[in-house]
Each structure stands twice: as structure tokens, then as C-alpha cells.
Amino acid sequence: MGANAGAGLTQSNAWLKAIFAQTTGGIALTDLDGSFVTVNQRYCEIVGYSEPELLKMRMQDITHPEDLPGNLAQFHRMVETGSSFDIEKRYIRRDGTLVWVSNSVSVIRSDSGKITQAVTVTIDVTERKRAQEEVRQLAAIIASSDDAIISIDLGMNIRSWNRGAEKLYGYSAEEAIGSPATIILPTDIVDEENIIIDSIKAGGHVQPHETRRRHKNGTEVHVSLRVSPVYDENGYVVGASKIARDISERKEAERLQNLLVGELTHRVKNVLATVNAVVRQTLGPVVPDSQEAVLQARLEALARAYDLLTISNWENASLHDIVRKAMSPYREDSVQIEGDPVCVSARAVLPLSLILHELGTNAAKYGALSVDGGQVFLRWFVANSSETAKPVLKLLWEERGGPAVTVPSRQGFGSRLIKAVTTSELGGCVVADYAHTGFVCDFEIALSSLTLNHGFGPAKGSPIVDVCQ
Ligand SMILES: Nc1ncnc2c1ncn2[C@@H]1O[C@H](COP(=O)(O)OP(=O)(O)OP(=O)(O)O)[C@@H](O)[C@H]1O
Ligand SMILES: [Mg+2]
């Protein structure tokens, strides 16, 4: 070898050494039995061992046992044939943690062409593997979901279609993917898709909603739909994903329930009207303030309370509505109503309505509503009971501007009903004050007995202190 050739070799050796030390890939040189001969710094970092430690080990010692047989088979084939191979496998690091790597392995030959060593270039792909695993898990969830999960692009063509969608809409993934999203839209709401896509494109959000979709066989299905934008890696919206749940059964149950409630209401009202007619016929013509007129007014109060329950499907009614309904016979400006929103359960609506009816008729007969300018103030709020610390409704009926009041010498049906219904039906207490300036009635009723349904209408899990739906 000439002097120049020797200098060239030294230079290229130095160059190789620099690459070996600085490359972002790990590099390991091994004997044909897998013993490490040389490793670079990056390789040490990836596997978590120092260079001196590795030089006493074989690649078999740090390869995950599950990946080793396949790895060795490829290694032996390479030693026999000289052809390189790529492999993704796990190393067990010094601290016991796993690292996924992508290795490119090739042979090194002696000057005579004999295979003497192997060189492995290693890249840490743990992050990529983790992301792949997440994607795989997500794909498995989507595939096995009973919900129909589909995605569409901005051109409104279907891009993905899971098994749930096959079941719900009747089209196979093959049929659906690439087709326009309108294939599952009933003709009367075919624009819905445009509106959704426009909103997604504009960066807006589509509220979860209930709608209809068309099955391949032409029938319609009721679905609850959730729509989310799909972004590309640069954050641009490229489409929308949609999760639809079949709610046909629930819709049918609701329809039946409405039918039954309607029928029941009709019957109850018929019964009340019949009782009213029987009373009228039995007692003769209505004389104002007569027993018959009082009875009739009470029956009407009952009918009004039932009206309230019908509006809310026998589930509940807001206290504001109950009060307004009970006070509807009186001039609006003579009754001031103010209170926290409280949703009253079906079973408490009637007792409350009856109490308010008796208070109203008494005010009209003897109190503030019996004169022009007299006023009733009805105020309530929710507070914690000073005795039980549980939430209670405090309701105050206060009359002002009526004739001077004296303490009555007798109790009629009204007072007895107010007391009995408050205590036995609602488990509360009531204090009446026949103050000279106006009658005052103070109620305290446990919130739970107003808001919880006990065997009447669909039970609600917890007290509802909210505006009724
Ligand atoms: N808001 C009121 N203002 C003034 N006095 C009242 C008021 N409410 C009741 N009273 C007095 O209390 C009495 C008892 O009332 P209560 O409602 O128990 O019986 P009633 O109204 O006389 O008869 P019923 O309710 O049986 O038709 C009344 O007769 C009246 O003297
Ligand atoms: Mg009365």
C-alpha cells in the first residue's frame, strides 16, 4: 500500500469514527454469536447500559425473550446468506423498562469476503409504538362499538364506517365508504348534512341532538347524534366524525307513554266533570258563596292541578306554575309571586294546589282579595332547617291592604284542610297569624317531600331544585 493510500484510509477511519460517535441512531458491532464488540454512545443510551457493561454481554441478553427466537432465526439466516434484515423488537433496559427499537442489521466481511461480524443500527421507536397501540386500541373500540361511528370528509363523502353503522343503517362498509353521506338522510332533512359540515368548516360546534336517519331498506331510525370535527396533523379541519345511537325504542316508549298519559288525563278530567255535574244536579241552581259553589270551586282547583301535571307528563311541575295556576282566578296585579325555582314532584302538586286554593278563597272571602287594592304576597325560598339541617322550603303567604282582621272563633274546612294536608301529606308545618293588618300563613316543608316522587310517576334519583323541564 502506498503512502497516499495509507493516509486516505486513516482519514476515512476518522470520518467513520465521527459518524459512529455522533449519529442519532444507536450502532452496535457484534460477533457472530451476538457478543458486543463496539457500541456507540447512543446505543448505550437506548439500552441503558454503559459501554464496558455491554462489551461483556451479548445482544441475546438484552433482547426481550418473546422477540428473541424470531430475531435469532433472522440473524442466522443473515450469517448464512449475507443478506441484511430489518426488525422491530423490544430491548430490556438495565432498569427493567422496555424500549421498542427498529433495527437494521447487516454483515461485515473480512478482506477475504468472509462474514466475521454484524452491525446493527438501532432507532428508538417506543413513542411511535405507543401511538400505534393507541390507534389500534381506538380502532378496536370503534370496530366493536354498538354505536354507529362514521366519518365524512368536507366533500360530504363517507370515509369510514364501523360495524355499528352497518347494523344501524344496513349498508356494508364496502357499500358505504366513498358514497355521499346523504344516502342515510331522509329526503325531508337532506340539508342537515350541509348545515353540519358548514358549521364544522367554520370552526363551530354542533350540539348533540336527536334526529332521523334512513336505513338501506327505506325505513327511518331515530338516532341521537354527536358530531365532532376531524383535524389533520396541521390542525386543519378535514371532515367530521359522527356517533349515532339508535333511540327508536325509547321514542316508541315515549309515544306510548304520551298516549297513555293523554288517555288517563282525559279520563280523570271526565270523572271530575261528571262529579261536578252530579253535584250541580243534586244540589240545584248555583247560589254564589253557597256550599255548592264552594264545592265546585274546589273541584275546579283539582282540575287545574291535573292540568299542570298533564303539561309536564305527570312527572313534575314548577312551583311558580303551581302558584300561578292556583292564583289564576284572581287579578294578576293583586298577587305578587316571588321565589326560588323549585321543581315539585307529581305527588306533591295536588296537595300544594289544594292548600293554595283554600288560601285564595279565604283571601277573596275575608281578606286582601275581597277589596280593591288589597294584595297577597307569596314568597318562598330554600334554606336549611334550623332543626334538621336538611333543606326546607319556606313559603310565606302574606295579605296586605284588606279589611281589618280579627282572630276567628271557629275553624272551617279550609283551615283544617290547610293544616291536615301540610302535616300529613307533605310532612311540614304551618303557622297561621290573623294579624290585624292582614292574614299571614307561614309554611315550612322538607324539600325532599316536595321534590321526590314516592310511587307516583317516574321516580327521580335525587331532589330536584331546578326549573322544571
Ligand atoms: N285571609 C283571611 N283573612 C281574614 N280572615 C280569614 C282569612 N282566612 C280565614 N279567615 C277567618 O278564618 C275563618 C276560618 O276559615 P276557614 O277557611 O277555615 O273556614 P271558612 O272559609 O269560613 O269555611 P270553608 O273553608 O269551610 O268554606 C274564616 O271564617 C274567617 O273568619
Ligand atoms: Mg275557607
Side-chain angles (χ1 to χ4, degrees), residues 29 44 72 92 323 377 421 436-437 453:
L29 217 64
C44 295
L72 281 178
I92 301 173
V323 169
F377 293 86
V421 169
H436 189 63
T437 48
N453 271 321

CSV table of all heavy atoms in Angstrom, one decimal, residues 29 44 72 92 323 377 421 436-437 453:
chain,number,residue,atom,x,y,z
A,29,LEU,N,-21.7,-3.2,17.1
A,29,LEU,CA,-21.0,-4.2,16.3
A,29,LEU,C,-20.9,-5.4,17.2
A,29,LEU,O,-20.5,-5.4,18.3
A,29,LEU,CB,-19.5,-3.7,16.1
A,29,LEU,CG,-18.9,-3.9,14.7
A,29,LEU,CD1,-19.6,-3.3,13.6
A,29,LEU,CD2,-17.4,-3.4,14.8
A,44,CYS,N,-25.8,2.9,23.9
A,44,CYS,CA,-25.8,2.8,25.3
A,44,CYS,C,-27.0,3.5,25.9
A,44,CYS,O,-27.6,2.9,26.9
A,44,CYS,CB,-24.5,3.4,25.9
A,44,CYS,SG,-23.0,2.5,25.4
A,72,LEU,N,-33.3,-14.3,16.3
A,72,LEU,CA,-32.1,-15.2,16.1
A,72,LEU,C,-32.2,-15.9,14.8
A,72,LEU,O,-31.2,-16.1,14.1
A,72,LEU,CB,-32.1,-16.3,17.2
A,72,LEU,CG,-31.4,-15.8,18.6
A,72,LEU,CD1,-31.5,-16.9,19.6
A,72,LEU,CD2,-30.0,-15.3,18.3
A,92,ILE,N,-34.7,-5.1,26.8
A,92,ILE,CA,-35.0,-4.8,28.2
A,92,ILE,C,-33.8,-4.0,28.7
A,92,ILE,O,-32.7,-4.4,28.7
A,92,ILE,CB,-35.1,-6.1,29.0
A,92,ILE,CG1,-36.2,-7.0,28.4
A,92,ILE,CG2,-35.4,-5.9,30.5
A,92,ILE,CD1,-36.3,-8.4,29.0
A,323,VAL,N,-98.3,27.9,41.6
A,323,VAL,CA,-98.8,29.0,42.3
A,323,VAL,C,-99.6,29.9,41.3
A,323,VAL,O,-100.7,30.3,41.6
A,323,VAL,CB,-97.6,29.9,42.9
A,323,VAL,CG1,-98.1,31.2,43.4
A,323,VAL,CG2,-97.0,29.1,44.1
A,377,PHE,N,-99.0,38.6,49.0
A,377,PHE,CA,-97.6,38.4,48.7
A,377,PHE,C,-97.2,37.0,49.0
A,377,PHE,O,-97.4,36.5,50.1
A,377,PHE,CB,-96.7,39.3,49.5
A,377,PHE,CG,-96.9,40.8,49.2
A,377,PHE,CD1,-97.9,41.5,49.8
A,377,PHE,CD2,-96.1,41.4,48.3
A,377,PHE,CE1,-98.1,42.9,49.5
A,377,PHE,CE2,-96.3,42.7,47.9
A,377,PHE,CZ,-97.3,43.5,48.5
A,421,VAL,N,-103.3,18.8,55.3
A,421,VAL,CA,-102.6,18.5,54.1
A,421,VAL,C,-101.1,18.8,54.3
A,421,VAL,O,-100.2,18.0,53.9
A,421,VAL,CB,-103.2,19.2,52.9
A,421,VAL,CG1,-102.2,19.1,51.7
A,421,VAL,CG2,-104.5,18.6,52.5
A,436,HIS,N,-103.9,41.9,62.7
A,436,HIS,CA,-104.9,42.9,62.4
A,436,HIS,C,-104.7,43.5,61.0
A,436,HIS,O,-105.7,43.7,60.3
A,436,HIS,CB,-104.6,44.0,63.5
A,436,HIS,CG,-105.7,45.1,63.5
A,436,HIS,ND1,-107.1,44.8,63.8
A,436,HIS,CD2,-105.7,46.4,63.2
A,436,HIS,CE1,-107.8,45.9,63.7
A,436,HIS,NE2,-107.0,46.9,63.3
A,437,THR,N,-103.5,43.7,60.6
A,437,THR,CA,-103.2,44.3,59.2
A,437,THR,C,-103.4,43.3,58.1
A,437,THR,O,-103.4,43.7,56.9
A,437,THR,CB,-101.8,44.8,59.2
A,437,THR,OG1,-100.9,43.8,59.7
A,437,THR,CG2,-101.7,46.1,60.1
A,453,ASN,N,-90.3,11.9,44.1
A,453,ASN,CA,-91.6,11.1,43.8
A,453,ASN,C,-91.6,9.9,44.6
A,453,ASN,O,-90.6,9.1,44.6
A,453,ASN,CB,-91.5,10.7,42.3
A,453,ASN,CG,-92.2,11.8,41.4
A,453,ASN,OD1,-93.2,12.4,41.8
A,453,ASN,ND2,-91.6,12.0,40.3
